[in-house]
Amino acid sequence: MLLKRDLLEQIKAGDVDLIFRRWNRPTVREGGTLKTKVGLLAIKSVTDMSPDDVTDAEARRAGFQDVADFRRWLDTMKQGDLFQRIEVGYLGEA
C-alpha cells in the first residue's frame, strides 16, 4: 500500500488513524505491519465496507475535512471491486 509522505507524517503525529482503500486485492491484513518512509505502522483492523457508509467523523479521522472532501479524493482513485476501512497506528522507527 503506497501512502504519500504528508499522510505518513499525519499518522506518525497521531492526527490520522484511518485509511480508506479501493482495490482488487487487499495488500494489508489485520494484525500486520507496514514498513514506510517514516517508520513502522500497525494495521489494527481491516473492514470491508461501502464508500457510501463513510461518516463525517471517519472522514476527519482519515485526514479529510468531511465526507464531501473524501468523495472528491475517492473520485481520483483507481477503480476496484473491494473498498476497505483500515485502522492504523504508528509503532516507531523501522
Side-chain angles (χ1 to χ4, degrees), residues 8-86:
L8 290 170
E9 293 294 347
Q10 290 176 306
I11 294 169
K12 182 178 179 179
D15 298 330
V16 167
D17 67 349
L18 277 183
I19 299 171
F20 294 104
R21 283 292 178 267
R22 181 170 54 195
W23 42 29
N24 292 317
R25 169 180 79 77
T27 60
V28 298
R29 63 180 182 176
E30 189 170 319
T33 57
L34 182 66
K35 188 175 181 179
T36 72
K37 293 177 183 179
V38 300
L40 202 58
L41 302 185
I43 307 301
K44 297 179 178 181
S45 72
V46 179
T47 307
D48 294 348
M49 65 180 297
S50 166
D52 296 333
D53 295 334
V54 174
T55 65
D56 276 328
E58 289 174 320
R60 285 190 294 277
R61 285 179 59 193
F64 300 102
Q65 293 177 10
D66 53 23
V67 169
D69 187 30
F70 159 75
R71 290 191 189 284
R72 283 188 293 276
W73 167 81
L74 187 62
D75 288 342
T76 69
M77 300 281 78
K78 66 181 177 181
Q79 294 298 312
D81 297 329
L82 183 62
F83 183 80
Q84 292 184 318
R85 174 189 187 273
I86 304 163

